[in-house]
Amino acid sequence: MPLERSAKAVGSLLNQSLIIVSNRLPVSVKKGDDGRMEVFPSVGGLATGLSSYTKNADNKWIGWPGIPSNDLTEDEKRFISEELRQHNCYPVFLTQDQLNDFYNGYSNSILWPLFHDLPVTEAAIRERDRFWNAYQQVNRLFLEVILALSGPEDAVWIHDYQLMTLPDMLRQARQLVNIGFFLHIPFPAAQNFADHLKWGADLVAGLLGADLVGFHVHSYMDNFMAAVESYGMGTIDKDNARITLPDRIVQVAEFPIGIDYKRYMRASKDPAVLQELARLKEMFPTQKVILTVDRLDPSKGLVERAAAYQTLLQEYPNFHGKVTLMMLVVPSRTEIEAYKNLKSRLEELVEDINKTFGNESWTPVVYMYKSLPFERLNALYQLADVAFIAPWRDGMNLVAKEYLASKPNKDGVLVLSKTAGAAEELTDAVIVDPARPETLVSGLVRALKMPAEEFRRRAGSMQQQIQNADIHNWANSFINALHSTADNQEGGAHTLGLTGRQAAKLNRRFGAASSQLVLLDYDCVIAPLTPAGMEGLPAELHEILKELSVQADIVIVSGQTQSLLEEKLGGFDNITLVAEHGLFERLPGEKSWKSYRGTDWQAKVLEHLEKFTEKVQGAELEKKDCSLVWHYDKASSYDAQNAVLELKRVIGPLAGVWKLDVLQGSMFLEVRPKGRSKGSTAKEMAARNQYDFVLVVGDDSDDCSLFVDGDWPEEAVTVKVGPGRTGARLRVFRPEEVLGLLRSFKASGSVLAVSA
Ligand code: ADQ
């Protein structure tokens, strides 16, 4: 028996789903010594900030699960996919070669140094063509997974420098999707960018695929807009931070990332933390502790900080035995040569300082090369008198904020370089300039000697700042801004909420017109979608349509089959019904449906779809009269993703021969004859009469827009139901509001035309 359902994942329309995309997932996988898979969630800042979104099963997080796919069997990949799915996470599997060239290569040996104003090694320059190819190839793999798992109406939030070409790839594939991008590292000055980056224009064009591009601080926004200008890619409106492209507007904005402030503050009372703190205090009963906490990375200026401390000990012997530098360094990107060399240089210098100045009772530098659990890190923050944070360049630097948030008694001094994004917010820090090493030394001296009253005041004001702009605030601000950028696009620049006054005006226009067309989308526009599935028409709407159809031409357009429309609307013999997105049409007064396409292609395509329905457990095949829909929302995401790729590959040539469209929606793949759509049908309807009032109401969730493709006259009233990008002029949010509008038309004795 054929399935009867909407070609949309239930629940995805009323609330636009959010797809988060980052290089790494917030859940990692590793293979234990016994060969068993271990899946462990991380409690990183991003995962915390987005947790309220990722708990909703309609939202998804796509990324690499942390293990090369060469090490995995097909069964293991399936197992990983299923485990991750419980966290609403979906993997992009990458081979070791891809990781070498895309991640260690282009991302971390070329983009990372260039974006942090550091030199790129000769070795990386030699390999850059290969690295770049891998970068694009991996970005395309991410694209495939996004397309397989999301619908055209979803919002997609892409993170960071590893995925800079992805927004444009996604825009090419889906015109209507709402895309946000956030860069976690600095954006370099335009000159630096153009002079050193062979594919700079491709990267900037990649980002311009987004509707919203976010940065930590204002100067990075300015640099990005200057780069866009230098490549002549758009018109810059600096005052409103907008870039106008020929077909769209890109909004640029600053969103300084924060931390989970409450978690750090609370930890200061945690017994495990207090126990660790007591142990540490015994080790350093009288000494002042200067703390550094960083990934071992060339951008963090670790050697320079150790050198500044060495100078301090040389120039200020009175500090001998009274201070200790604790360097907590977490291993990072250990396969890259430049990182290995950095480790050797840093460790040699630490050894040298300890040899020169240390004695039996005092080790000037305590060096730890490891990752510490949250409680131990928090105890270190509480212990430290000074946090010494002097990166060469840093997008934000969360350690600075974590340190201050761990100080309930405000007993700490933050030394911070002006080249960290955090310096734009934490202006009460002792600011130093890494390009002038003497400022690092004087900054340390000032911090070590600062009176308690002064450092308490400074810490207090910075804590306030960090508390107000925490990680939840950051995530919510970005997502809200992303949703509102939908209104920047196409006709959306003037898409307005339908106010009571506008509704009254429409009502008057409708009443005064002599010929009216009301074209209504059925699915989720006049027939609400609930978690239980598509509901029938509300009884009141039946009555309204009956009365209105006496005066107006009413057209109901739907993606549903003829039989479903007959069941729900068959009783109306003076309404035009359009089924399967325009493939079938039943005109007023007629009993039979007109078909626009033959079905001779179906047997060929069916063969493949049936094979995959059998192969992929949970997949379901819906045979409509003129199209075939392969649903995979109940299937394993791993099997489904692979099957979608394979299906597209095998159906592609058939689609060319038979002139078919292969449409990918949220968890379904639909194959149907080319050419007919809700939009093209709408165009024909409008041309059949000289209407002096046209109302079109739809949700714009199909790849073809009812509003844009309908080619409506200037005075037509187009109304979009729900959030997201649209070519409509007006917007309402719920089907109930459409009902209200139609009710008012009935009351005015006017007539309407509707599309489903
Ligand atoms: P990172 O370069 O990783 O982040 P940072 O913002 O300081 O830099 O975050 C490091 C995180 O790692 C902190 O949460 C810190 O607590 C943790 N950490 C460091 N050493 C540790 C250790 N030994 N043990 C345990 N935890 C440790 C990138 C950008 C930054 C930007 C962030 C967020 O480079 O500029 O602030 O993303 O956007």
Side-chain angles (χ1 to χ4, degrees):
M1 206 177 101
L3 284 169
E4 266 184 4
R5 53 203 237 174
S6 156
K8 286 170 183 155
V10 170
S12 70
L13 180 101
L14 298 176
N15 269 318
Q16 195 179 24
S17 299
L18 176 69
I19 312 292
I20 300 154
V21 189
S22 60
N23 175 49
R24 284 294 295 267
L25 284 171
V27 177
S28 286
V29 177
K30 75 173 187 215
K31 222 179 210 182
D33 294 338
D34 56 357
R36 277 219 223 134
M37 287 295 159
E38 288 172 43
V39 175
F40 50 98
S42 66
V43 275
L46 200 55
T48 309
L50 292 167
S51 59
S52 56
Y53 297 92
T54 48
K55 276 182 203 139
N56 177 348
D58 279 341
N59 299 332
K60 302 182 179 75
W61 194 321
I62 293 170
W64 179 56
I67 186 165
S69 59
N70 318 47
D71 297 348
L72 301 170
T73 63
E74 289 304 302
D75 277 347
E76 285 171 335
K77 286 188 200 166
R78 193 168 298 112
F79 171 81
I80 290 171
S81 299
E82 293 319 308
E83 289 290 311
L84 293 179
R85 198 173 173 168
Q86 293 171 24
H87 304 268
N88 295 331
C89 287
Y90 294 81
V92 179
F93 288 110
L94 302 176
T95 64
Q96 189 59 59
D97 282 350
Q98 283 165 338
L99 289 164
N100 288 345
D101 290 354
F102 147 76
Y103 182 68
N104 291 326
Y106 200 75
S107 301
N108 288 328
S109 298
I110 293 185
L111 288 182
W112 180 273
L114 276 179
F115 279 48
H116 288 87
D117 301 336
L118 294 167
V120 175
T121 62
E122 286 299 321
I125 292 172
R126 276 198 301 278
E127 308 286 353
R128 67 180 170 178
D129 288 12
R130 200 181 75 238
F131 289 170
W132 170 245
N133 290 339
Y135 185 84
Q136 289 173 291
Q137 185 197 33
V138 170
N139 274 234
R140 270 194 295 274
L141 289 177
F142 273 78
L143 172 72
E144 292 296 346
V145 179
I146 298 173
L147 292 179
L149 294 174
S150 66
E153 73 273 29
D154 291 339
V156 180
W157 184 3
I158 300 167
H159 289 263
D160 229 359
Y161 63 103
Q162 303 92 347
L163 300 173
M164 286 174 70
T165 51
L166 184 54
D168 185 56
M169 288 177 179
L170 181 55
R171 174 69 60 216
Q172 302 297 332
R174 290 224 169 117
Q175 288 304 306
L176 291 178
V177 72
N178 198 195
I179 306 173
F181 181 92
F182 185 81
L183 188 71
H184 289 260
I185 64 175
F187 196 94
Q191 200 52 48
N192 188 357
F193 196 81
D195 288 353
H196 297 103
L197 205 54
K198 188 170 168 191
W199 293 281
D202 302 70
L203 294 165
V204 170
L207 294 184
L208 290 176
D211 297 295
L212 173 65
V213 183
F215 299 93
H216 286 304
V217 297
H218 212 276
S219 55
Y220 309 160
M221 280 170 61
D222 285 346
N223 288 349
F224 172 63
M225 289 194 283
V228 173
E229 205 160 35
S230 73
Y231 291 119
M233 287 181 182
T235 311
I236 311 294
D237 169 0
K238 257 197 146 190
D239 292 342
N240 296 303
R242 281 181 166 195
I243 301 164
T244 304
L245 308 179
D247 59 336
R248 295 184 302 110
I249 289 167
V250 180
Q251 183 73 54
V252 183
E254 65 178 314
F255 300 92
I257 198 167
I259 59 164
D260 188 356
Y261 183 81
K262 283 192 188 138
R263 181 169 184 241
Y264 284 87
M265 262 296 158
R266 263 199 317 264
S268 57
K269 297 194 187 82
D270 178 341
V273 175
L274 293 174
Q275 197 180 352
E276 174 65 8
L277 181 61
R279 190 184 72 84
L280 288 168
K281 277 189 171 158
E282 263 174 40
M283 287 168 67
F284 306 99
T286 53
Q287 282 159 15
K288 287 212 167 188
V289 172
I290 303 168
L291 177 68
T292 73
V293 178
D294 308 80
R295 283 185 307 99
L296 183 64
D297 192 287
S299 66
K300 303 286 181 185
L302 281 157
V303 172
E304 293 73 9
R305 269 183 270 171
Y309 179 68
Q310 185 181 39
T311 310
L312 175 91
L313 297 183
Q314 280 159 357
E315 293 180 0
Y316 297 86
N318 51 329
F319 281 127
H320 290 194
K322 297 193 182 120
V323 293
T324 299
L325 174 66
M326 288 191 85
M327 299 193 87
L328 176 60
V329 179
V330 66
S332 178
R333 303 172 194 168
T334 48
E335 285 154 25
I336 302 177
E337 212 49 42
Y339 286 67
K340 289 182 194 162
N341 294 339
L342 174 66
K343 180 169 186 280
S344 313
R345 283 201 299 134
L346 178 62
E347 290 177 358
E348 272 166 30
L349 179 56
V350 167
E351 204 181 315
D352 188 27
I353 297 170
N354 282 341
K355 260 202 201 132
T356 312
F357 300 101
N359 55 42
E360 266 175 28
S361 57
W362 177 50
T363 308
V365 187
V366 176
Y367 173 82
M368 291 174 282
Y369 180 63
K370 59 181 165 192
S371 177
L372 284 188
F374 176 77
E375 289 73 17
R376 289 192 59 195
L377 179 60
N378 197 266
L380 271 181
Y381 284 148
Q382 288 200 55
L383 173 80
D385 300 281
V386 177
F388 185 25
I389 300 175
W392 270 120
R393 196 106 179 85
D394 215 331
M396 173 55 72
N397 193 295
L398 295 177
V399 173
K401 296 186 173 184
E402 293 167 4
Y403 171 70
L404 290 165
S406 308
K407 292 285 188 189
N409 302 323
K410 309 180 186 6
D411 51 350
V413 186
L414 175 64
V415 177
L416 181 62
S417 59
K418 66 175 199 178
T419 44
E424 294 199 16
E425 282 179 275
L426 305 178
T427 48
D428 271 314
V430 173
I431 301 292
V432 296
D433 179 358
R436 292 170 49 224
E438 71 280 10
T439 65
L440 270 56
V441 182
S442 58
L444 277 181
V445 174
R446 192 165 164 215
L448 289 167
K449 293 184 171 171
M450 189 178 282
E453 193 192 327
E454 183 180 347
F455 65 64
R456 289 216 167 88
R457 180 183 51 74
R458 287 170 178 257
S461 90
M462 291 190 283
Q463 280 176 348
Q464 200 59 54
Q465 165 74 26
I466 300 167
Q467 185 174 15
N468 292 344
D470 72 358
I471 185 74
H472 303 287
N473 188 294
W474 172 80
N476 294 339
S477 311
F478 189 94
I479 290 166
N480 289 340
L482 177 59
H483 286 312
S484 59
T485 55
D487 284 347
N488 288 343
Q489 311 307 344
E490 295 160 6
H494 48 80
T495 301
L496 302 168
L498 180 64
T499 59
R501 190 183 299 182
Q502 281 164 326
K505 201 166 141 198
L506 275 185
N507 191 299
R508 281 197 298 279
R509 276 186 57 197
F510 180 76
S514 55
S515 69
Q516 305 105 326
L517 172 68
V518 177
L519 195 138
L520 303 173
D521 206 341
Y522 177 82
D523 316 292
C524 315
V525 171
I526 57 169
L529 182 71
T530 67
M534 183 78 71
E535 284 190 347
L537 285 191
E540 187 193 353
L541 189 59
H542 258 269
E543 284 309 305
I544 295 174
L545 290 179
K546 204 190 252 170
E547 282 194 33
L548 293 179
S549 64
V550 176
Q551 310 163 54
D553 284 352
I554 299 190
V555 181
I556 298 188
V557 183
S558 175
Q560 305 287 346
T561 59
Q562 304 158 69
S563 55
L564 185 128
L565 287 193
E566 291 247 322
E567 183 195 322
K568 307 286 184 196
L569 299 158
F572 294 107
D573 54 9
N574 54 352
I575 285 182
T576 300
L577 299 180
V578 177
E580 295 196 27
H581 303 275
L583 291 176
F584 294 95
E585 182 184 294
R586 200 194 76 175
L587 295 171
E590 300 206 351
K591 287 270 169 278
S592 59
W593 290 77
K594 186 171 173 193
S595 161
Y596 282 90
R597 280 289 167 166
T599 52
D600 34 7
W601 55 273
Q602 283 198 345
K604 281 275 168 220
V605 175
L606 199 58
E607 211 176 278
H608 293 294
L609 293 180
E610 278 178 341
K611 197 168 101 200
F612 279 90
T613 310
E614 221 164 86
K615 200 165 141 191
V616 177
Q617 208 186 352
E620 290 170 337
L621 182 58
E622 181 180 11
K623 295 177 196 166
K624 294 187 176 178
D625 290 325
C626 215
S627 71
L628 296 170
V629 191
W630 194 72
H631 296 272
Y632 52 90
D633 46 317
K634 296 190 194 121
S636 133
S637 53
Y638 176 70
D639 293 341
Q641 280 169 40
N642 286 340
V644 166
L645 295 182
E646 186 58 13
L647 271 171
K648 279 187 174 171
R649 201 182 58 74
V650 293
I651 295 175
L654 297 177
V657 173
W658 295 95
K659 302 213 172 0
L660 305 171
D661 275 329
V662 182
L663 306 175
Q664 193 167 348
S666 184
M667 302 291 200
F668 72 86
L669 198 68
E670 178 161 8
V671 187
R672 46 189 275 107
K674 243 188 195 344
R676 303 277 311 167
S677 67
K678 287 180 183 175
S680 64
T681 306
K683 199 172 180 171
E684 287 172 21
M685 296 294 163
R688 283 180 195 171
N689 204 342
Q690 280 290 63
Y691 294 106
D692 51 10
F693 178 91
V694 176
L695 172 71
V696 185
V697 190
D699 68 354
D700 222 353
S701 62
D702 300 291
D703 284 327
C704 287
S705 164
L706 186 60
F707 306 117
V708 175
D709 299 345
D711 200 12
W712 298 104
E714 181 70 0
E715 60 286 359
V717 182
T718 48
V719 183
K720 154 132 176 125
V721 183
R725 291 158 61 86
T726 182
R729 293 172 59 193
L730 295 171
R731 185 193 300 281
V732 295
F733 284 92
R734 289 167 303 117
E736 291 76 13
E737 294 172 80
V738 180
L739 180 65
L741 182 65
L742 297 179
R743 187 188 293 130
S744 76
F745 282 5
K746 184 189 126 190
S748 80
S750 331
V751 188
L752 301 161
V754 179
S755 118

